[in-house]
Amino acid sequence: MKFTDSPVIELPVLNKRLSIQQDNGSMHVGTSVWPCSLVLVKFAERWHPLICAAGDSQQPTNPYADLLNFTNKRAVELGAGCGVAAMGLYLLGLHDVVITDIAPVMPALKHNLKRNKPVLKKNLKTAQLYWAKEEQIQALGPPFDFVIATDVVYLEETVGPLIRAMESLVAEDGVVLLGYQLRSPEAHELFWQICGSVFEVEKIPHEHLHPDYAYEETDVYVLRKKKQDV
């Protein structure tokens, strides 16, 4: 399910507004906007200090204050597509972020970064990345405090390389922020099977997502590296 067939999707983030142009007629799924990127950004916005200070989070305390503290943190987004997640999180304070995808998707990504430069106020960094290419992973300069990934689990053959890339890129005390929706039963089963051997998995309660972006089939997970036995 695409979020919408509309050629332009607008996403309000704090007092700004991103405008994302998608191409649903493309051969590549990365040129469309998928729901998980919106859900992840709006989850982070809901628990942003400015929102919580204004009393809009409907919670007496912020359970995600540490998790979503982006100050002086480094991040990389995998399979970024049109770049919604990275741009949204940048506006929420995640200012050191590298946005990656495969070569055929880069024109759509760069077009949307340019389109939103008046809002972002800078050129965000991009890099071509194929998850199975170790030299490209190392060229990004890991480890990162955050690995961002949304709607990336849909082909069974890419699950292994994806998880290995996540493991290589995230710091020992870092986190993977994963926006997830079941796309393929086979990829789903394999992903969580391998993931459970590498990461501790925390699922964000659905009631903690942004109420306007809490789509029934979409979830946010936090993955942390399992501690190695000494």
Side-chain angles (χ1 to χ4, degrees), residues 143-218:
F144 290 88
D145 302 294
F146 290 94
V147 172
I148 312 300
T150 66
D151 264 314
V152 291
V153 182
Y154 53 89
L155 291 175
E156 190 175 4
E157 60 265 30
T158 65
V159 165
L162 170 61
I163 294 177
R164 287 191 292 273
M166 289 175 171
E167 186 178 15
S168 296
L169 288 165
V170 72
E172 292 301 317
D173 59 349
V175 297
V176 178
L177 294 180
L178 177 68
Y180 188 86
Q181 185 167 341
L182 194 156
R183 301 292 179 191
S184 154
E186 295 79 14
H188 170 83
E189 183 177 354
L190 183 61
F191 178 80
W192 291 113
Q193 177 186 338
I194 301 176
C195 206
S197 66
V198 178
F199 295 107
E200 300 287 351
V201 178
E202 174 191 355
K203 182 180 179 181
I204 300 298
H206 225 249
E207 61 268 23
H208 287 180
L209 302 179
H210 191 290
D212 296 335
Y213 291 80
Y215 307 131
E216 184 178 353
E217 299 173 346
T218 303

Side-chain angles (χ1 to χ4, degrees), residues 12-16 42 45 48 50-51 91-92:
V13 183
L14 295 180
N15 60 343
K16 306 273 178 42
K42 297 301 284 190
E45 182 196 52
H48 188 275
L50 288 178
I51 300 296
L91 292 177
L92 293 170

Side-chain angles (χ1 to χ4, degrees), residues 37-58:
S37 57
L38 311 177
V39 172
L40 178 61
V41 170
K42 297 301 284 190
F43 159 70
E45 182 196 52
R46 180 182 180 182
W47 300 102
H48 188 275
L50 288 178
I51 300 296
C52 290
D56 293 339
S57 70
Q58 308 299 317

Side-chain angles (χ1 to χ4, degrees), residues 48-49 65-75 89-90 92-96 145-146:
H48 188 275
D66 290 335
L67 172 67
L68 299 175
N69 178 7
F70 297 143
T71 305
N72 299 322
K73 300 292 176 62
R74 297 179 69 229
L89 294 175
Y90 175 84
L92 293 170
L94 191 57
H95 290 159
D96 189 349
D145 302 294
F146 290 94

